[in-house]
Amino acid sequence: MIPMNLSEVSEFTLLGFSEVSHLHHLLFVALLSLYILTLMANTVIALIINCDNTLHNPMYFFLTQLSCLDICYLSVIVPKMLENLMVGTIGISRTGCAMQMFFFLFFGVAECFLLAAMSFDRYVAICYPLHYTIIMNSRVCKGLVAGTYICGTAVGLVHTIITFSLPFCGLAINHFFCEIQPLLELLCGNTSPSEIQVIVVAVFAIVGPFLLIIYSYIHIISTILKISSTESQQKAFSTCSSHLLVVTLFYGTASSMYLRPKSSYSASVDKLLSLSYSVVTPLLNPIIYCLRNKEVKGALRKTLGLKENSISNGISAWLV
């Protein structure tokens, strides 16, 4: 059967988790619970930072932006996923699919560059502590954040416009949202140019910021190792540990998704990886910063009137 050119089609079909339809209700409850918990956790972090004057500094300004990005990033994907789990295979308009891809790329790429901006903040704080307040002033911080959104917008627009200007020879997207790779599978003819486009975007949006982070931490570690006091070394490392954990989680899943060879592509593996960076990582980010950051825990205790170790114990029990 010769595939038809469906470039003018007005609607795609999202297959979602059709291969495990018997688990749909269980997955719905689990994902809805994770979604609500993630929204609550990131909202609380953002509100606590905005309400506590002691946390009004560049590091926590970036953390607020990270929480906002995680909320938006999650909300682009999860509602349609939950609908899919409730009713099975669902349709999504061509415009809706294009917008979902754009915002998915926009928030994802913005988060990549925001993590790089956060590493620059730690680099200045540890390597140039006496000049920190001068270098990381309000104008610079806002400029860095604006830059992350500009990069996200550019990548999202270019990639979405190019992809949806190409002819499609299929309607069924074997995924729970309009992900890049499953859409490429639906394109007519030779998809090599589009695959090269994905690689270029991945290198710019993932590898580029990651190299900036590596560069920052090479200098950070080198500076810390020169400190004579062990206590000061531990304190310096502690200010970076939360950020390093978040970077490892985000870049680990994103790189395994977009930088692996096409021959290793599998729809089931693709969905699992997408779940990990679109649902699990945004939930873990605020937990990591709460568990490993004394200032955030202190602000939470002060706001909620909790005792010394109740936050850590509560979150630990919740995770178990």
Side-chain angles (χ1 to χ4, degrees), residues 31-45:
L31 289 172
L32 178 60
S33 300
L34 286 173
Y35 182 49
I36 293 172
L37 288 172
T38 304
L39 292 180
M40 290 174 60
N42 282 288
T43 301
V44 167
I45 287 290

Side-chain angles (χ1 to χ4, degrees), residues 76-289:
V76 168
I77 299 169
V78 174
K80 208 67 178 175
M81 189 194 315
L82 292 173
E83 181 187 353
N84 188 287
L85 290 170
M86 277 295 291
V87 302
T89 299
I90 59 173
I92 183 170
S93 68
R94 185 187 181 92
T95 302
C97 191
M99 292 194 64
Q100 191 179 52
M101 175 184 276
F102 166 75
F103 283 110
F104 164 73
L105 288 168
F106 169 65
F107 293 122
V109 172
E111 185 156 335
C112 284
F113 282 92
L114 181 64
L115 290 173
M118 293 173 77
S119 71
F120 175 71
D121 171 68
R122 293 299 83 206
Y123 162 72
V124 176
I126 292 173
C127 298
Y128 301 98
L130 299 179
H131 299 90
Y132 178 70
T133 55
I134 298 174
I135 297 174
M136 298 302 296
N137 57 56
S138 176
R139 184 178 178 181
V140 169
C141 292
K142 290 177 182 178
L144 288 171
V145 170
T148 66
Y149 292 140
I150 290 170
C151 290
T153 302
V155 171
L157 278 176
V158 170
H159 197 88
T160 303
I161 290 171
I162 291 176
T163 299
F164 282 87
S165 65
L166 298 171
F168 289 95
C169 288
L171 296 175
I173 302 172
N174 191 12
H175 212 283
F176 50 81
F177 74 102
C178 293
E179 170 66 290
I180 301 166
Q181 188 61 45
L183 272 169
L184 292 181
E185 298 290 315
L186 303 181
L187 293 178
C188 299
N190 181 21
T191 61
S192 295
S194 299
E195 289 163 12
I196 292 172
Q197 170 197 334
V198 171
I199 293 172
V200 170
V201 170
V203 169
F204 172 72
I206 299 175
V207 178
F210 185 69
L211 290 176
L212 292 175
I213 292 171
I214 293 296
Y215 176 82
S216 296
Y217 273 100
I218 287 174
H219 286 277
I220 287 171
I221 293 171
S222 175
T223 301
I224 291 174
L225 292 177
K226 293 176 183 177
I227 300 174
S228 56
S229 170
T230 304
E231 183 180 350
S232 298
Q233 284 184 343
Q234 291 176 347
K235 185 177 179 180
F237 273 121
S238 69
T239 64
C240 304
S241 57
S242 298
H243 179 256
L244 278 174
L245 279 172
V246 170
V247 166
T248 302
L249 281 170
F250 186 84
Y251 279 95
T253 53
S255 60
S256 61
M257 179 75 188
Y258 297 109
L259 297 179
R260 71 183 194 272
K262 183 185 177 182
S263 58
S264 66
Y265 174 77
S266 165
S268 57
V269 173
D270 188 44
K271 292 176 189 179
L272 183 62
L273 288 171
S274 295
L275 273 177
S276 67
Y277 68 73
S278 63
V279 178
V280 179
T281 302
L283 173 62
L284 292 178
N285 287 350
I287 294 174
I288 289 170
Y289 276 101

Side-chain angles (χ1 to χ4, degrees), residues 291-303:
L291 286 175
R292 302 186 64 87
N293 193 299
K294 292 181 180 179
E295 290 179 318
V296 174
K297 287 192 290 184
L300 279 170
R301 283 197 302 271
K302 185 169 65 175
T303 302

